[in-house]
Amino acid sequence: MNSLLEVTDLRVQVPVGRGLREVVHRVSLAIAAGEAVGLVGESGSGKSMTARTIMRLLPAGAVVGGQVRFDGRDVLTMDADTLRRWRMQDVAMVFQDPRAHINPVRRSGDFLTEGLLALGTPRASAEARVIDLLDAVRVTRPAERLRQYPHQLSGGLLQRVMIAAALTGRPRLLLADEPTTALDVTTQAEVMAILDDLRREFGLALLLITHDLELAAATCTRTAVMYAGSIMETQQSASLHDHPLHPYTAGLVAARPRIDAAPGSLTVIAGQPIAAFEAPAGCPFAPRCPPAAPQCASAEPPTQRVAHGWSACVRAEE
């Protein structure tokens, strides 16, 4: 299957004080047209920074290595005008906190039509387009919502407005960064159902960033598990829970609460999570890994094909 998005050996350093800190160390992933891929990991593992690097939404002074290719084009070398049009027409991002990304002093209609107007779409056509999109994301009274300000909308409605805004340019790739954060459970399910329906209807490729293994399994064909800025394993979501290929994934799966299990303490992963810049010379998970081998502390494990997926573990075959 040909890949629409290819990320190869991505490394990102951001300025902190007078130096640079690595926040994404070794990330390679691919997404085909129409495919949904989950990127799962703890807070601080580099998931959101990976998505922002794909979009080239990085802080000033950031240093990026590796490759990001979209339909064969090198995203990291696009000039400003090409990048602007690519963001408006081919790729879009849904952020985890809509109230932090929507201007509170402008009406929702202004936010929704801004990109279309910039592309030269007449205002009447732009408003008709966004009303159709609001209806598609199940917003009631869509024409009325265009006249409302963000503070007049609930968190669930505002997240749907952001999803509609992301779809205005008919993108081929949608990056969804924790799109259900701070929403109640019922609204979370509704938002994810909307994203899944839209992906299937419009043939979107989807990268879903989440810390929820269950959510990724229910929504995505494949899941990549991230730790300390690196991809630990990638495999089919349907088999990840029963057959994890990396000790870190096995620890996450074991730590899930289960309603069919006897009451008692949850399984935990020993030690503390770390960021990419804190990772040791070898495998970043080695200090917390019960089956770690001596070479895990000194040599960075290669990502290798194992059974039904890929794993960055020297003992993956075991």
Side-chain angles (χ1 to χ4, degrees), residues 266-285:
L266 293 175
T267 302
V268 298
I269 301 175
Q272 297 293 323
I274 58 174
F277 65 89
E278 301 171 309
C283 173
F285 189 62

Side-chain angles (χ1 to χ4, degrees), residues 22 27 42 48 78 122 126 134 146 150 192 223 236 302:
E22 191 168 55
V27 169
E42 300 171 76
S48 295
M78 286 181 178
L134 288 176
L146 298 186
M192 289 311 304
T223 298
Q236 296 295 311

Side-chain angles (χ1 to χ4, degrees), residues 9 11 25-29 225 230-235 245-246 300-306 309-314 316:
D9 198 25
R11 298 165 188 261
H25 172 60
R26 187 185 63 193
V27 169
S28 295
L29 58 87
V225 180
S230 299
I231 298 289
M232 297 289 99
E233 77 164 87
T234 305
Q235 65 159 304
L245 301 176
H246 193 280
E300 188 172 300
T303 300
Q304 55 188 320
R305 179 78 181 184
V306 181
W310 298 83
S311 177
C313 180
V314 296

Side-chain angles (χ1 to χ4, degrees), residues 12-288:
V12 181
Q13 294 176 304
V14 296
V16 177
R18 296 184 178 181
L20 293 170
R21 282 188 176 178
E22 191 168 55
V23 291
V24 174
H25 172 60
R26 187 185 63 193
V27 169
S28 295
L29 58 87
I31 306 175
E35 184 185 22
V37 174
L39 185 58
V40 176
E42 300 171 76
S43 296
S45 61
K47 308 183 302 297
S48 295
M49 189 59 71
T50 297
R52 287 180 175 273
T53 304
I54 292 171
M55 290 285 292
R56 282 183 57 183
L57 296 174
L58 292 174
V63 177
V64 181
Q67 283 192 331
V68 177
R69 302 190 72 83
F70 180 87
D71 202 15
R73 291 180 290 167
D74 189 343
V75 175
L76 300 181
T77 60
M78 286 181 178
D79 59 48
D81 185 61
T82 303
L83 178 64
R84 174 174 169 271
R85 289 196 166 272
W86 177 69
R87 287 174 179 163
M88 296 175 70
Q89 297 177 322
D90 289 314
V91 65
M93 188 165 180
V94 177
F95 297 93
Q96 60 180 287
D97 183 3
R99 296 197 186 279
H101 294 88
I102 297 178
N103 191 330
V105 299
R106 297 185 65 192
R107 299 179 190 273
S108 299
D110 296 331
F111 171 71
L112 286 162
T113 59
E114 182 177 17
L116 292 173
L117 296 176
L119 291 172
T121 306
R123 180 171 293 277
S125 299
E127 290 186 353
R129 165 74 174 156
V130 299
I131 287 173
D132 287 342
L133 285 172
L134 288 176
D135 185 62
V137 297
R138 306 173 196 171
V139 171
T140 58
R141 308 191 307 277
E144 179 184 331
R145 305 299 184 188
L146 298 186
R147 301 189 297 273
Q148 293 181 322
Y149 290 92
H151 71 270
Q152 295 175 296
L153 303 176
S154 67
L157 278 176
L158 204 58
Q159 190 63 288
R160 296 176 197 209
V161 168
M162 177 163 281
I163 294 171
L167 297 175
T168 55
R170 296 183 174 87
R172 299 163 66 191
L173 170 66
L174 184 64
L175 309 177
D177 185 6
E178 299 276 12
T180 59
T181 296
L183 301 179
D184 62 76
V185 175
T186 302
T187 307
Q188 285 182 16
E190 291 174 353
V191 168
M192 289 311 304
I194 289 168
L195 281 175
D196 195 46
D197 288 346
L198 292 172
R199 179 183 69 82
R200 297 174 189 276
E201 180 181 352
F202 297 111
L204 285 171
L206 172 68
L207 177 64
L208 173 66
I209 296 169
T210 180
H211 61 268
D212 190 333
L213 279 170
E214 299 285 357
L215 183 62
T219 309
C220 303
T221 307
R222 291 184 296 120
T223 298
V225 180
M226 198 167 185
Y227 179 78
S230 299
I231 298 289
M232 297 289 99
E233 77 164 87
T234 305
Q235 65 159 304
Q236 296 295 311
S237 300
S239 59
L240 183 141
H241 290 256
D242 295 326
H243 304 287
L245 301 176
H246 193 280
Y248 174 61
T249 309
L252 290 180
V253 171
R256 293 177 303 156
R258 296 175 53 183
I259 60 174
D260 60 344
S265 300
L266 293 175
T267 302
V268 298
I269 301 175
Q272 297 293 323
I274 58 174
F277 65 89
E278 301 171 309
C283 173
F285 189 62
R288 306 175 67 191

